[in-house]
Amino acid sequence: MRKINLTLISAALILVAYLCVQELPVKHAVSAEFDYIPKGELPLGEIEIISEHSDASGADWKILGYNNHLFPSANGYMYVEGANPMDELSEFLTIYDQGSSGGKKNRFILKGVLEKREGPRYNEQDGNLVLVSKEWGILYPIRGRDVFRPLASVSYLSKWDYKDSSR
């Protein structure tokens, strides 16, 4: 009986240690303060775009602003090539807006080179802008974790937040 209890306690400790290691910070959320500017033409070239996943058809990303400036009403869209949070993070963090988080999606800062593209895939309504992304960051607070992680930190991403947990 004592050997069984010791085995169960050891297994529980190993499980708790594993879960704690999985919750260690991998990438910290970015805290930022933004100025508001009227929507205008986005400058092409090197840029930091503030965005969130788009529910509209066509381009995957809705443009909310750029270079620490938010638009009062966002309505631009873009495609992203290269470093893309949608390729790396769980859909709970990129796509869904969770009712528990006030119906808001996570916002991201995508850094790279903005280009205009032509062709059948690209148009003014769905987005003819493409960001060739070099890196990305997630803005604080992080919202929308799955129901199995109600106490997950809002200030950093952990291994559980990534599609590939080998990080």
Side-chain angles (χ1 to χ4, degrees), residues 63-83:
I63 299 170
L64 305 175
Y66 66 96
N67 297 345
N68 286 340
H69 301 291
L70 288 176
F71 304 133
S73 61
N75 58 4
Y77 297 94
M78 70 178 177
Y79 295 91
V80 174
E81 295 176 353

Side-chain angles (χ1 to χ4, degrees), residues 44-47 111-115 130-134:
L44 299 178
E46 286 286 329
I47 194 168
K111 300 175 184 178
V113 177
L114 189 64
E115 305 173 348
V130 176
L131 180 73
V132 180
S133 176
K134 297 176 184 169

Side-chain angles (χ1 to χ4, degrees), residues 8-44:
L8 289 175
I9 291 171
S10 297
L13 287 174
I14 290 171
L15 179 63
V16 168
Y18 173 77
L19 294 174
C20 288
V21 166
Q22 295 300 311
E23 280 297 333
L24 291 175
V26 173
K27 187 173 203 165
H28 287 276
V30 178
S31 292
E33 291 190 24
F34 301 109
D35 297 325
Y36 287 90
I37 60 170
K39 176 139 176 47
E41 190 70 26
L42 284 170
L44 299 178

Side-chain angles (χ1 to χ4, degrees), residues 128-139:
N128 63 350
L129 295 174
V130 176
L131 180 73
V132 180
S133 176
K134 297 176 184 169
E135 64 179 292
W136 59 268
I138 189 167
L139 291 175

Side-chain angles (χ1 to χ4, degrees), residues 68-110:
N68 286 340
H69 301 291
L70 288 176
F71 304 133
S73 61
N75 58 4
Y77 297 94
M78 70 178 177
Y79 295 91
V80 174
E81 295 176 353
N84 189 340
M86 288 182 56
D87 295 339
E88 299 178 39
L89 294 178
S90 158
E91 291 176 345
F92 288 104
L93 295 170
T94 55
I95 295 177
Y96 304 121
D97 56 347
Q98 305 293 322
S100 63
S101 62
K104 294 184 178 181
K105 295 182 179 184
N106 283 310
R107 292 180 172 183
F108 296 87
I109 295 180
L110 302 164

